[in-house]
Every structure is written in structure tokens, then in C-alpha cells.
């Protein structure tokens, strides 16, 4: 391979890498500082401003995989110094086509140029480099980068679990030379069980191996998991996360070349090697997690303010969803959607019954009432305030529940996850079989988990 045709990968942070070939350099998912998921996550390491600027000065395109705040940061793009560089260098944004166009509209208003791609659509960024953005599930996406010499798949935290789905992927897109994949769990679904957290952590590594095996991939770059649960109410979730050392131990006797990068490290894709200093870097960073200052919700939202925010939430839902259809489903008890949810607010030390029709109703005799879910009033206020509020809750794990309570909360509060993708809860939704399939598949995966 000619030297000027070699592909280079520079690790920046978390899910952010710079992949360079000839005159094209694609930066992925820039998150470099600050908390995410409503004070639920923080990075293990934060980048210095000058390092970020240095990376941007080498960048021609920025790929955003999906709208989660550890991948798409509005504060990054709105930063005046960064935006000036993006505009001056005419850096283009690569993003999947969506129904709501929320990300595209936000970036367009800043004056940025966006290249929207349908799932699997081929696009050449120069004569020798081709990309595809491939949609997964409800909103995730991966990017497949092909040069004359290799295929690089950045699948970040996309759900590609079943062997038959991986084989189907291979038939459509071919084998992969370099795989970049999330290596630890990244949700609060298992707040009620350390056993399940341990199982999930192991499944993440099994999944990487399964993908690599079926895509004939020899080189694996674990990334997109360099975070810790940072809130005082979810900090315990760090008890079973995969560290770089755990990842290396898992693959130590296997046939794959697993390389973990440290920030600023650059390697050529045809000669990827593990740097011992990188492992030492992360070893020290992970050791310091317990000493980090915890985020917390330090302001209690009173009942009146919660109720006012709920009324806006309710109005927002019924404006774009069929109230009559929701009411019909509510009355069909066997479906268990939109049923009353018993919520305890930890800072209020009060229990409430919640429905989409009546909002929060205080429970008078709470002595014998077991809540379905417990959270801080700031978190419930966040759910009412933002379309992505409940999605944030399931990721940050700032709540307490059991398996039954979790399923009940999902069926009562997840409607705006659909709405955030531009999908309305009406009769037309009944005929959207693909969406219904993904929704129930994800829900059923929770039911299969037994403590």
C-alpha cells in the first residue's frame, strides 16, 4: 500500500474518532466535556480546548450517529469558537434521514451544510472513499467507510445482536476489516439487579465477538463506553461496568486483534497494535472514578410546578397523538398501556398516582402502597419538559424500581420516544409494522430478564 493511501484512525474521546484517508477526515460524535443525560453521565476523561481545536482543523466531515447527548451535543455546535471553525473550514455534517428532521433543522439554522443519507445509501466523499450510513432500530445508526484497501465499520452502540441479523448485514454490506464498537452497558434498565448488570456487561463482549466472527473482522477497536454513571442516585451502576482491562482479558486467548486507544493516539489501520501506555492511561482513570465528585439534583420541584409542566406535556401529546385512541387502549386493560403508574418522589417523600389523563394525584393513605418507580422530582419534571425525557431516564438510571415496575413505567411514559422520531400515535401507526416490531422486541427483551 502506498504511504499516501494509508488510512489513519485517531481516537479523541468516548465515541469520537477521526478517520482520515487522503484529503478526507471524518470525525464522529464529538462529546468532549460536561455531563450528559440530565446529570447522569460524565466522561472518564475530558479533552482540553486546544486539543479539540487541533482535531477540528484536520476535519472535513462530522458524522453524528444519533441524537443521544453522548453523540450529538448542541452545546458543542453552539460554542462560538467551534462554530467559527466549522463554518470557516466548511466542515460538512453527515446524518441519517429522519422524519422529524430535528437535528438537521438545528444544524441548518447555524449555517452548517448537512449531507442527509437514507439508510444504506452509497455516497462518495472523494474518488476512492465511499460511505454508507446504516440505520439500526428506532434511531441509531452506524457508518461504513470503504477505501480501496479496507472496510471500517463504526457501529458505536447500535443493536446488532442476533446471528441471523449479522449474517444478513454481511450479505448486504460485505466483510469488515476494522470494527469500532461499544464495550460496556449504557443504560439504567437493570437498576434493580447487580446480577443482570454483570450479565449485560458480559453480553456486550460476547456481542463484539459474535459480530467480528460473522463479519470476518480481525481488528476490533472497543470505544463508546468511556463514561461513568455520575449522579449520587445512579453511581452504584458503575459496579459492573467493563473496563479496558476486562475487555483485553476477555479477548486475550482469541483470534482478534483488539486495540484500545488513549486520547490523541493515532494509528494506521493496516498495522494496528496495542500500546501499553494506553492501557495504563485508562487504568489510572478508571481507578479514580470513586474519587470523583457526584452530580446531584439539588433543587426540589414542588407539586404545583410539576403539575403545570405536566399540563404542557399533556397538551403536547394530545396535539399530535389521538386522545381517543389512547383512551381506547387505556380501557383495554389487558394491553396494560397507559395504566395508572404509582410514582414516589424521593425528595417529596410522597407517593402519587399518575395517568396521562389526570397527571399526578397524591395518594392519601400511602402506608400500604408500593411504588412502581421512585425518582427525584427534577427527573420527573425533566420527563414532562422534554420529548426525550423518559428516554433519558432509562439511560441514566436515576430511579429505583423492579422488573414489573419498569415494564409498567415504559408502557405509561414512553409515548414521546415515538413522537421524537416524528411518529404519531394514531390509527396510521397500527399499519407501521416495522416500528411496532422494534418497539415490542425491545420491550420483550426486558421481560426475558429474570432476577
Amino acid at each position: 500500500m502506498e504511504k499516501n493511501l494509508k488510512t489513519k484512525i485517531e481516537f479523541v474521546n468516548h465515541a469520537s474518532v477521526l478517520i482520515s484517508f487522503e484529503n478526507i477526515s471524518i470525525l464522529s460524535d464529538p462529546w468532549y466535556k460536561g455531563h450528559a443525560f440530565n446529570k447522569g453521565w460524565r466522561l472518564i476523561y475530558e479533552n482540553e480546548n486546544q486539543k479539540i481545536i487541533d482535531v477540528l482543523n484536520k476535519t472535513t466531515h462530522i458524522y453524528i450517529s444519533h441524537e443521544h447527548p453522548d453523540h450529538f451535543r448542541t452545546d458543542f455546535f453552539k460554542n462560538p469558537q467551534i462554530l467559527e471553525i466549522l463554518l470557516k473550514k466548511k466542515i460538512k455534517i453527515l446524518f441519517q434521514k429522519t422524519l422529524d428532521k430535528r437535528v438537521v433543522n438545528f444544524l441548518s439554522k447555524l449555517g452548517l451544510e448537512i449531507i442527509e443519507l437514507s439508510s444504506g445509501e452509497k455516497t462518495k466523499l472523494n474518488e476512492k472513499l465511499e460511505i454508507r450510513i446504516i440505520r439500526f432500530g428506532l434511531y441509531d445508526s452506524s457508518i461504513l467507510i470503504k477505501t480501496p484497501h479496507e472496510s471500517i465499520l463504526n457501529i458505536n452502540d447500535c443493536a446488532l445482536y442476533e446471528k441471523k441479523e449479522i449474517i444478513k448485514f454481511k450479505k448486504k454490506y460485505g466483510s469488515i476489516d476494522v470494527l469500532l464498537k461499544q464495550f460496556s452497558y449504557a443504560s439504567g434498565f437493570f437498576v434493580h439487579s447487580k446480577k443482570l448488570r454483570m450479565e449485560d456487561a458480559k453480553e456486550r463482549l460476547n456481542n463484539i465477538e459474535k459480530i467480528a466472527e460473522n463479519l470476518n473482522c480481525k481488528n476490533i477497536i472497543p470505544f463508546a463506553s468511556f463514561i461513568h454513571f455520575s449522579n449520587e442516585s445512579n453511581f452504584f451502576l458503575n459496579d459492573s461496568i467493563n473496563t479496558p482491562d476486562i475487555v483485553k482479558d476477555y479477548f486475550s486467548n482469541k483470534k482478534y486483534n483488539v486495540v484500545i486507544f488513549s486520547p490523541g493516539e493515532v494509528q494506521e489501520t493496516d498495522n494496528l497494535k496495542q500500546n501499553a501506555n494506553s492501557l495504563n492511561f485508562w487504568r489510572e482513570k478508571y481507578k479514580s472514578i470513586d474519587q470523583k465528585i457526584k452530580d446531584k439534583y439539588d433543587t426540589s420541584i414542588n407539586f404545583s410546578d410539576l403539575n403545570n409542566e405536566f399540563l404542557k406535556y399533556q397538551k403536547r401529546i394530545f396535539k399530535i397523538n389521538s386522545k381517543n385512541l389512547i383512551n381506547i387502549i387505556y380501557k383495554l386493560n389487558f394491553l396494560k398501556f397507559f395504566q395508572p403508574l404509582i410514582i414516589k418522589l424521593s425528595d417529596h417523600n410522597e407517593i402519587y398516582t399518575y395517568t396521562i389523563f389526570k397527571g399526578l394525584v397524591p395518594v392519601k393513605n400511602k402506608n400500604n402502597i408500593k411504588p412502581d418507580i421512585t425518582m427525584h422530582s427534577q427527573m420527573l419534571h425533566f420527563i414532562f419538559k422534554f420529548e426525550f425525557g423518559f428516554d433519558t431516564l432509562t439511560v441514566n438510571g436515576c430511579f429505583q424500581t423492579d422488573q414489573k415496575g419498569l415494564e409498567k413505567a415504559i408502557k405509561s411514559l414512553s409515548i414521546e420516544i415515538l413522537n421524537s422520531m416524528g411518529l404519531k400515535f394514531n390509527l396510521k401507526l397500527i399499519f407501521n409494522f416495522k416500528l411496532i416490531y422494534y418497539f415490542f422486541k425491545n420491550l420483550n427483551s426486558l421481560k426475558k430478564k429474570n432476577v
Side-chain angles (χ1 to χ4, degrees), residues 412-424:
S412 294
L413 294 168
S414 64
I415 184 171
E416 287 206 301
I417 293 179
L418 301 180
N419 294 162
S420 67
M421 297 178 292
L423 298 166
K424 301 177 183 179

Side-chain angles (χ1 to χ4, degrees), residues 92-109:
K92 297 178 176 63
I93 312 299
L94 304 170
F95 192 67
Q96 59 179 308
K97 282 188 177 178
T98 60
L99 291 174
D100 65 359
K101 290 188 176 294
R102 184 162 55 186
V103 171
V104 169
N105 290 338
F106 170 83
L107 295 171
S108 295
K109 288 179 181 178

Side-chain angles (χ1 to χ4, degrees), residues 175-355:
S175 298
I176 301 299
D177 297 296
V178 181
L179 172 70
L180 294 96
K181 182 74 173 78
Q182 174 194 54
F183 64 85
S184 190
Y185 58 82
S187 79
F189 277 130
F190 302 134
V191 296
H192 56 290
S193 173
K194 181 175 180 179
K195 177 185 175 183
L196 292 181
R197 292 195 293 276
M198 294 172 67
E199 289 178 1
D200 192 29
K202 187 174 181 180
E203 285 178 8
R204 302 288 171 167
L205 302 181
N206 291 338
N207 181 233
I208 294 174
E209 183 180 8
K210 187 189 299 183
I211 293 173
E213 178 181 2
N214 287 284
L215 296 184
N216 299 327
C217 180
K218 301 299 182 186
N219 298 293
I220 301 170
I221 300 176
F223 83 143
S225 293
F226 292 107
I227 60 95
H228 69 284
F229 295 89
S230 63
N231 197 285
E232 62 181 6
S233 64
N234 71 2
F235 203 81
F236 68 95
L237 293 175
N238 296 308
D239 60 9
S240 304
I241 59 176
N242 289 327
T243 65
D245 282 332
I246 291 173
V247 177
K248 292 294 287 185
D249 287 345
Y250 178 89
F251 285 100
S252 61
N253 296 317
K254 301 182 185 296
K255 60 185 178 180
Y256 307 101
N257 179 33
V258 177
V259 181
I260 293 171
F261 284 60
S262 60
E265 182 175 354
V266 182
Q267 292 201 37
E268 295 173 347
T269 55
D270 65 340
N271 190 32
L272 293 169
K273 294 180 180 179
Q274 182 60 62
N275 187 326
N277 290 333
S278 295
L279 293 177
N280 290 332
F281 173 88
W282 288 118
R283 194 171 292 127
E284 293 304 313
K285 295 298 179 184
Y286 275 84
K287 280 182 182 178
S288 68
I289 288 178
D290 288 339
Q291 283 73 52
K292 290 183 180 292
I293 297 174
K294 299 179 181 66
D295 292 311
K296 61 181 179 179
Y297 301 131
D298 49 11
T299 302
S300 184
I301 311 298
N302 62 46
F303 178 79
S304 177
D305 289 341
L306 280 172
N307 189 55
N308 288 337
E309 200 61 53
F310 162 75
L311 292 174
K312 297 175 187 176
Y313 167 82
Q314 183 190 57
K315 183 178 180 180
R316 192 167 69 234
I317 288 175
F318 289 149
K319 181 178 180 180
I320 61 175
N321 299 278
S322 169
K323 182 177 180 179
N324 290 334
L325 180 58
I326 291 174
N327 191 42
I328 290 171
I329 294 174
Y330 168 75
K331 290 179 179 179
L332 298 174
N333 291 337
F334 69 92
L335 291 176
K336 297 182 179 179
F337 279 91
F338 306 111
Q339 296 303 300
L341 183 69
I342 302 173
I343 301 174
K344 180 178 180 180
L345 296 181
S346 55
D347 53 315
H348 288 198
N349 196 28
E350 296 289 345
I351 295 176
Y352 304 89
T353 298
Y354 164 82
T355 66

Side-chain angles (χ1 to χ4, degrees), residues 70-113:
D70 61 320
H71 298 267
F72 172 61
R73 301 285 299 190
T74 57
D75 56 349
F76 172 83
F77 289 99
K78 290 168 70 175
N79 181 297
Q81 187 179 21
I82 288 173
L83 182 58
E84 182 181 0
I85 296 172
L86 299 180
L87 294 173
K88 183 178 180 180
K89 287 183 54 57
K90 297 182 180 180
I91 295 173
K92 297 178 176 63
I93 312 299
L94 304 170
F95 192 67
Q96 59 179 308
K97 282 188 177 178
T98 60
L99 291 174
D100 65 359
K101 290 188 176 294
R102 184 162 55 186
V103 171
V104 169
N105 290 338
F106 170 83
L107 295 171
S108 295
K109 288 179 181 178
L110 295 175
L112 298 169
E113 181 179 344

